[in-house]
Amino acid sequence: LLSHQCGLAGLDQKSSVFDHEAVIAAIEAQEANWQLGDGHGYHPRTFGFLVDEPVRILTGKKLGEAFRERIAQPLGLDLWIGLPESEFGRVATLYPGKMDKNDLLSGFYKEFNQAGTLVRQAFSSPSGLQGVHEMNSPKAWQAGLPAMGGVGTAQSLAKFYQAAIGAIPLFSDEVLEWMRTPVVTGDDRILMTPTRFSCGFQLDPLDENGDKIRHNYGTGMRAFGHPGAGGSHAFGDPDSAISYAYIMNQMDLSVLPGAKSTGIIQALSQ
């Protein structure tokens, strides 16, 4: 589940991101998009619900509440999954991105723009928060949607990754190893490009010689992190002890980090 192998990226049963119980019911009713062991694919809209529900069962709290108590508060982070009203005045306005015509030629966008494909289904189910204007509403900030509703500062996001690489004591050695150790690699059924996942994070995929084919996470071979919608991006490198976060309010439309972020990463790696 944490490495995007469980085949629940697209849902047949209609539900809204604002109705947790309905989404969980749709997930429970869903026949797997592919069989476990038969590859992997990014779960862009269901992943947050897939990790939120076990936390609710185990702790009796929403994932955002558990995150705040166990991670954000101990580290003093300006990060929320479910923003309190007292912070509304600090939120920047998001602006829609402009698409590069070259993006339209990629395999991802060909699948995304074609009705009935799994890629299209994965990015449209469950419904809701699919337009930038919806993201600019207090309803979205307060919803506490893991994987879709995080609000915070770049500095705090980078500090979280200091803890994730072990530079700030918080996580056990076992958890640190889960975050940085690749679990699955290969062609991604949803992003239509090679990806490599650990438990909840991405690493740069490698070629047959063991060299990186992308450098979204710098030059470090153990560096891991995750991109976000619109071009936001963050990662940590256990070997250099560097952590990085880039967030923006002028969005891009690429599903992986764009030139604005990767250019900074390249400079940082030199």
Side-chain angles (χ1 to χ4, degrees):
L1 185 152
L2 289 174
S3 57
H4 298 267
Q5 297 183 77
C6 65
L8 295 169
L11 303 178
D12 297 324
Q13 189 169 299
K14 294 186 181 300
S15 58
S16 165
V17 295
F18 295 109
D19 189 339
H20 179 86
E21 287 73 21
V23 176
I24 296 304
I27 289 172
E28 291 173 340
Q30 182 64 40
E31 181 178 348
N33 307 141
W34 63 85
Q35 295 304 308
L36 187 63
D38 190 22
H40 72 285
Y42 181 49
H43 290 51
R45 298 179 68 80
T46 59
F47 187 78
F49 296 94
L50 290 168
V51 296
D52 192 7
E53 181 66 5
V55 172
R56 294 187 185 206
I57 293 170
L58 292 167
T59 70
K61 298 177 180 179
K62 298 177 180 179
L63 187 147
E65 296 169 336
F67 170 79
R68 190 72 200 156
E69 291 177 7
R70 299 184 182 214
I71 298 175
Q73 287 181 335
L75 293 175
L77 303 182
D78 271 348
L79 289 179
W80 288 267
I81 304 172
L83 190 70
E85 188 173 352
S86 60
E87 305 298 320
F88 283 5
R90 302 175 63 196
V91 181
T93 300
L94 292 177
Y95 296 94
K98 296 180 180 179
M99 179 172 286
D100 186 325
K101 291 183 180 179
N102 291 327
D103 289 336
L104 295 173
L105 302 177
S106 70
F108 168 80
Y109 277 106
K110 288 178 181 178
E111 292 290 307
F112 178 80
N113 290 322
Q114 184 174 336
T117 64
L118 178 57
V119 173
R120 180 71 168 265
Q121 185 183 30
F123 278 87
S124 59
S125 61
S127 64
L129 293 184
Q130 286 159 308
V132 173
H133 68 283
E134 295 179 89
M135 295 288 188
N136 285 323
S137 70
K139 182 179 180 181
W141 307 336
Q142 284 184 308
L145 300 172
M148 294 177 63
V151 183
T153 65
Q155 184 178 29
S156 288
L157 191 55
K159 187 176 180 181
F160 162 79
Y161 275 97
Q162 283 289 294
I165 62 177
I168 298 175
L170 182 67
F171 301 110
S172 69
D173 290 342
E174 184 179 28
V175 170
L176 292 173
E177 198 62 23
W178 288 341
M179 289 191 280
R180 68 180 60 157
T181 303
V183 175
V184 64
T185 188
D187 292 334
D188 193 298
R189 289 173 174 269
I190 304 301
L191 297 181
M192 307 297 291
T193 188
T195 56
R196 191 162 64 129
F197 285 98
S198 65
C199 288
F201 295 89
Q202 277 191 16
L203 300 90
D204 285 319
L206 308 178
D207 63 19
E208 61 274 10
N209 297 317
D211 298 321
K212 289 192 173 194
I213 64 174
R214 289 194 295 268
H215 290 84
N216 289 339
Y217 303 102
T219 57
M221 297 303 293
R222 297 199 300 162
F224 63 92
H226 213 285
S232 60
H233 189 45
F235 69 90
D237 184 347
D239 296 322
S240 68
I242 288 175
S243 60
Y244 166 92
Y246 173 82
I247 59 176
M248 72 299 125
N249 63 342
Q250 173 61 66
M251 301 183 76
D252 290 330
L253 294 181
S254 174
V255 293
L256 291 174
K260 287 184 287 187
S261 180
T262 56
I264 300 172
I265 295 169
Q266 184 177 5
L268 183 66
S269 300
Q270 292 175 351

